[in-house]
Amino acid sequence: MQWLMNMLHVDSMTELWWVVFGLLAQLMFTGRFIVQWIASERQRDSVVPVAFWYFSLAGGLMLFSYAVYRRDPVFILGQSLGVFIYSRNLWLIHAKRRREA
């Protein structure tokens, strides 16, 4: 584990776990683009599947948590707005589905 801590420039196991969490958060956030790309290729049109918004929300919440841990006001502000937008989009999607049902 020490080699990993050295490679990531962290001084404690707590810090290491937060960096690993941050990396997983970034992978989750990046996954939304893969989901969107695959959906668009399948339909041969640019589409935004509902899964895109779930990946966005999960990744955004994870990155927001990481930003709070890091106490980075720029990162916190950027992620908090995104989390609001992703949540709102999911709310609108589900409200429309309820109306149409």
Side-chain angles (χ1 to χ4, degrees):
M1 256 329 162
Q2 190 60 44
W3 66 272
L4 184 58
M5 291 173 64
N6 291 338
M7 185 177 77
L8 296 174
H9 303 286
V10 297
D11 299 324
S12 69
M13 285 301 290
T14 300
E15 184 77 10
L16 176 62
W17 285 114
W18 272 107
V19 170
V20 168
F21 180 81
L23 290 170
L24 290 172
Q26 189 60 52
L27 284 173
M28 176 68 72
F29 201 67
T30 301
R32 69 196 188 130
F33 292 116
I34 295 168
V35 165
Q36 192 274 332
W37 176 44
I38 291 169
S40 292
E41 288 296 328
R42 284 183 178 162
Q43 292 197 19
R44 302 260 186 239
D45 190 17
S46 181
V47 296
V48 181
V50 175
F52 175 89
W53 298 113
Y54 281 109
F55 271 83
S56 297
L57 182 59
L61 285 169
M62 291 171 72
L63 287 169
F64 177 78
S65 300
Y66 182 71
V68 168
Y69 171 75
R70 290 290 194 177
R71 296 182 183 152
D72 184 330
V74 174
F75 199 9
I76 291 168
L77 182 61
Q79 288 304 315
S80 61
L81 180 59
V83 166
F84 172 76
I85 292 167
Y86 312 141
S87 299
R88 181 65 178 151
N89 274 289
L90 284 167
W91 180 272
L92 293 170
I93 289 166
H94 291 291
K96 181 180 179 183
R97 286 182 178 174
R98 281 191 305 272
R99 282 191 314 271
E100 292 174 350

